[in-house]
Amino acid sequence: GAVVSQHPSRVICKSGTSVKIECRSLDFQATTMFWYRQFPKQSLMLMATSNEGSKATYEQGVEKDKFLINHASLTLSTLTVTSAHPEDSSFYICSAREASGGTDTQYFGPGTRLTVL
Amino acid sequence: QQQVKQSPQSLIVQKGGISIINCAYENTAFDYFPWYQQFPGKGPALLIAIRPDVSEKKEGRFTISFNKSAKQFSLHIMDSQPGDSATYFCAAVSNFGNEKLTFGTGTRLTIIP
């Protein structure tokens, strides 16, 4: 149980295009999902917290107009990188917090490798 | 106050040995401490977690030791195997806060034959 999927796993795009990444909790409902960014050999950097049916909360320094987050249902959140540039190339990882049982556990997706040419 | 300090940055252990990774925190509101294991190109996977009301938790070869007064916790991997070679992150979260995980900086563990 507690599986989180991400799609796509890898994407290469041209500079200026937009890329959408999906995060799904497959066997549980997640009222809260989180989006992280990870650079090589570094820790995870939280970008935003996404709650179902409400606007995402962005961390300081993260451009909300560039990284659009939509949490349309209890099992799906999407991150859209708008007008991507080479500096947006990174490993993007989502996590989902299980809604029931009072658990604090976050389950992570497998990540999406974005390369912007 | 939100930091979680993790050490060492990298660790090499011989097969069969004990791997020990340490973390320290400042925020006394933290009440849940998970450890995550991450292989290259993959997302972190929950390994084991502990709450501050216990001093130790063991699951198979993995043990968390927790010292509430010192605000420190550590991961012990017994009988370390080459398949344990990965990056390990400690983390902390406040159940009554904003639920955001605060991660340590990570430890790259290499198990040599």
Side-chain angles (χ1 to χ4, degrees):
Chain A
V3 178
V4 176
S5 70
Q6 272 184 251
H7 179 79
S9 59
R10 188 180 294 265
V11 57
I12 301 172
C13 68
K14 292 183 178 180
S15 185
T17 60
S18 294
V19 174
K20 180 184 280 190
I21 303 169
E22 290 187 350
C23 176
R24 293 181 185 271
S25 56
L26 297 185
D27 50 3
F28 66 98
Q29 293 185 327
T31 52
T32 306
M33 288 185 171
F34 303 85
W35 286 95
Y36 295 84
R37 186 172 180 176
Q38 187 178 34
F39 292 105
K41 298 184 181 180
Q42 292 191 22
S43 190
L44 286 79
M45 182 190 79
L46 181 65
M47 299 175 65
T49 302
S50 166
N51 290 294
E52 186 263 339
S54 62
K55 290 184 178 180
T57 302
Y58 290 81
E59 294 299 299
Q60 193 172 11
V62 178
E63 299 177 59
K64 62 180 180 180
D65 293 331
K66 180 166 186 65
F67 299 100
L68 300 178
I69 291 172
N70 183 277
H71 194 156
S73 74
L74 286 173
T75 60
L76 173 65
S77 177
T78 61
L79 167 69
T80 301
V81 183
T82 62
S83 187
H85 288 90
E87 58 266 29
D88 298 323
S89 298
S90 190
F91 193 51
Y92 291 88
I93 310 171
C94 72
S95 73
R97 182 179 184 271
E98 196 168 359
S100 62
T103 179
D104 300 305
T105 303
Q106 287 186 29
Y107 298 96
F108 284 82
T112 296
R113 173 76 59 194
L114 171 62
T115 303
V116 185
L117 303 176
Chain B
Q1 198 178 19
Q2 288 295 321
Q3 274 189 322
V4 176
K5 295 180 180 180
Q6 183 172 347
S7 63
Q9 189 174 13
S10 63
L11 179 63
I12 299 174
V13 174
Q14 206 149 21
K15 179 182 175 182
I18 303 173
S19 304
I20 302 174
I21 304 170
N22 301 298
C23 285
Y25 64 97
E26 290 294 326
N27 188 350
T28 54
F30 288 144
D31 54 9
Y32 183 71
F33 302 87
W35 284 88
Y36 289 89
Q37 178 189 57
Q38 186 179 29
F39 293 104
K42 304 294 183 184
L46 178 66
L47 196 60
I48 186 172
I50 196 168
R51 294 191 182 278
D53 52 348
V54 296
S55 60
E56 186 175 282
K57 183 174 182 180
K58 184 175 181 180
E59 289 184 1
R61 295 186 294 110
F62 301 93
T63 300
I64 301 178
S65 297
F66 189 86
N67 185 329
K68 188 174 180 178
S69 60
K71 290 184 284 187
Q72 295 175 348
F73 58 110
S74 60
L75 175 69
H76 292 63
I77 306 175
M78 313 299 287
D79 187 27
S80 299
Q81 298 297 311
D84 297 330
S85 296
T87 299
Y88 292 81
F89 293 97
C90 63
V93 64
S94 168
N95 192 31
F96 297 101
N98 52 16
E99 306 171 354
K100 295 191 291 187
L101 281 169
T102 299
F103 279 94
T105 49
T107 297
R108 178 170 287 195
L109 173 65
T110 304
I111 307 301
I112 55 175

